Amino acid sequence: AVGTILLAVNPYKVLPGYYTREEMELYSHTEDIYTLAPHVYTIAEAAYRHAMEEETDQSVLISGESGAQTHAPVAQYTQ
C-alpha cells in the first residue's frame, strides 16, 4: 500500500515563516493534521504518528532537485 504523497517544488526563494518552530508545533499538536494546509511537516507527523500508534516501520521518500532542501526540515521535525 502507498501512503500519503507530498510533491514539493523548489520556489527558488526563501519562504519566511515556513519552517519555523511555530509551524512545527502547529503540526505536532493538531488532532487532525489533514485539516491543515499541505506541508512537509504533515508527512513527517503522519509517519511519526503511524510509527508510534501502530508500532510499524515508516519511510519517507524525498526525491528531486529540491530533495535536500526538503530533507532538512523533515529530519529536524523527527528529532
Side-chain angles (χ1 to χ4, degrees):
V2 175
T4 305
I5 297 174
L6 169 72
L7 176 61
V9 179
N10 187 345
Y12 295 104
K13 63 181 179 179
V14 175
L15 299 174
Y18 202 70
Y19 294 118
T20 63
R21 172 66 62 189
E22 291 79 19
E23 278 291 298
M24 192 182 305
E25 293 292 324
L26 175 66
Y27 283 83
S28 67
H29 290 104
T30 299
E31 194 67 31
D32 184 3
I33 57 175
Y34 297 106
T35 61
L36 298 173
H39 197 290
V40 67
Y41 292 152
T42 304
I43 303 302
E45 180 63 20
Y48 179 79
R49 286 184 186 187
H50 288 316
M52 295 296 106
E53 293 169 3
E54 299 173 16
E55 298 182 0
T56 58
D57 293 335
Q58 300 293 306
S59 62
V60 176
L61 174 64
I62 300 171
S63 180
E65 72 177 84
S66 63
Q69 294 169 353
T70 303
H71 172 267
V74 171
Q76 178 186 20
Y77 189 92
T78 56
Q79 291 180 352

